[in-house]
Amino acid sequence: NAGVTQTPKFRILKIGQSMTLQCTQDMNHNYMYWYRQDPGMGLKLIYYSVGAGITDKGEVPNGYNVSRSTTEDFPLRLELAAPSQTSVYFCASSYGEGVGANVLTFGAGSRLTVL
Amino acid sequence: GNSVTQMEGPVTLSEEAFLTINCTYTATGYPSLFWYVQYPGEGLQLLLKATKADDKGSNKGFEATYRKETTSFHLEKGSVQVSDSAVYFCALDTGRRALTFGSGTRLQVQP
């Protein structure tokens, strides 16, 4: 059981470049999330999705876009990379309903540096 | 809005010492409370949870009690091990299914 898989693990971007962080889960979870982790700042929610075709903004959505065309996949797109987007990005998922609804399973993270 | 405040780290302890990591929260309604742990190079994983006032969550020797009167959910362990070295995050959920996390507390346990 792979859980939540994120790629790439590391990436260096130049200012203005674009890229997509991939996230896939094999637990048939309805809810998926993208968080960013800045040093000493904890995790901030970027976007989340409650099911295929449905996405919603979190606390810090500016500069990012997401899509959810399938239950399994929830890619995060950076269109014009800026140094302020240097961070570690975590994808997570949960059932969203019933027992254990709000227990998140996290991926191992993607470290992005924008120079 | 909702928020979680944790004690700043790093917390450095010797093996077999007693651990307390403080966590207080601000939230509307009756949130569920969580402790997640992040080992080096890994994503976060659930350590324990409590869903209502006076509940005690426990796992791997760690425990935390949901105190509504003091809006706290302090993490404790009676005897830490080197393998407990990690970053610990307190979090809450008010039913929106997207957790609010604290800033994390790094624990370093020395042999």
Side-chain angles (χ1 to χ4, degrees):
Chain A
N1 189 345
V4 177
T5 303
Q6 290 182 236
T7 57
K9 292 191 185 303
F10 304 95
R11 183 73 186 268
I12 297 175
L13 283 181
K14 294 182 179 178
I15 294 172
Q17 286 187 319
S18 300
M19 76 158 296
T20 298
L21 298 177
Q22 301 292 344
C23 175
T24 187
Q25 54 92 8
D26 62 0
M27 297 169 286
N28 202 31
H29 283 171
N30 292 320
Y31 285 50
M32 296 187 74
Y33 316 83
W34 275 105
Y35 286 90
R36 58 178 287 173
Q37 182 182 28
D38 299 325
M41 299 296 290
L43 279 75
K44 299 293 185 183
L45 182 66
I46 306 171
Y47 271 95
Y48 69 101
S49 168
V50 301
I54 306 170
T55 62
D56 206 351
K57 296 178 180 179
E59 303 172 75
V60 290
N62 292 343
Y64 306 94
N65 280 300
V66 293
S67 60
R68 184 95 183 271
S69 57
T70 66
T71 300
E72 294 79 18
D73 300 308
F74 191 43
L76 177 72
R77 178 119 181 119
L78 287 71
E79 290 296 347
L80 293 171
S84 60
Q85 294 178 303
T86 294
S87 189
V88 180
Y89 291 83
F90 286 100
C91 181
S93 68
S94 72
Y95 281 111
E97 303 289 342
V99 175
N102 50 11
V103 174
L104 272 59
T105 300
F106 282 83
S110 299
R111 183 178 295 276
L112 175 66
T113 302
V114 182
L115 300 174
Chain B
N2 301 329
S3 66
V4 177
T5 302
Q6 291 181 234
M7 60 187 292
E8 289 194 20
V11 174
T12 303
L13 296 174
S14 298
E15 210 165 19
E16 299 184 359
F18 185 86
L19 169 71
T20 299
I21 299 178
N22 290 337
C23 170
T24 58
Y25 68 90
T26 301
T28 55
Y30 302 94
S32 296
L33 300 173
F34 305 82
W35 279 100
Y36 278 79
V37 58
Q38 183 182 29
Y39 298 104
E42 300 182 11
L44 284 71
Q45 55 186 274
L46 179 68
L47 180 60
L48 53 84
K49 65 181 282 191
T51 58
K52 62 183 187 297
D54 299 324
D55 268 1
K56 178 184 285 187
S58 62
N59 187 27
K60 299 182 181 179
F62 291 89
E63 58 184 34
T65 301
Y66 188 160
R67 302 285 187 200
K68 188 166 179 61
E69 64 275 16
T70 55
T71 61
S72 65
F73 193 53
H74 304 322
L75 182 68
E76 296 181 336
K77 187 174 185 182
S79 176
V80 293
Q81 305 300 313
V82 172
S83 57
D84 294 326
S85 297
V87 181
Y88 293 82
F89 291 89
C90 186
L92 67 83
D93 172 30
T94 57
R96 292 189 61 207
R97 305 298 185 232
L99 303 189
T100 299
F101 286 87
S103 58
T105 302
R106 181 176 299 279
L107 170 65
Q108 298 173 337
V109 180
Q110 298 175 338

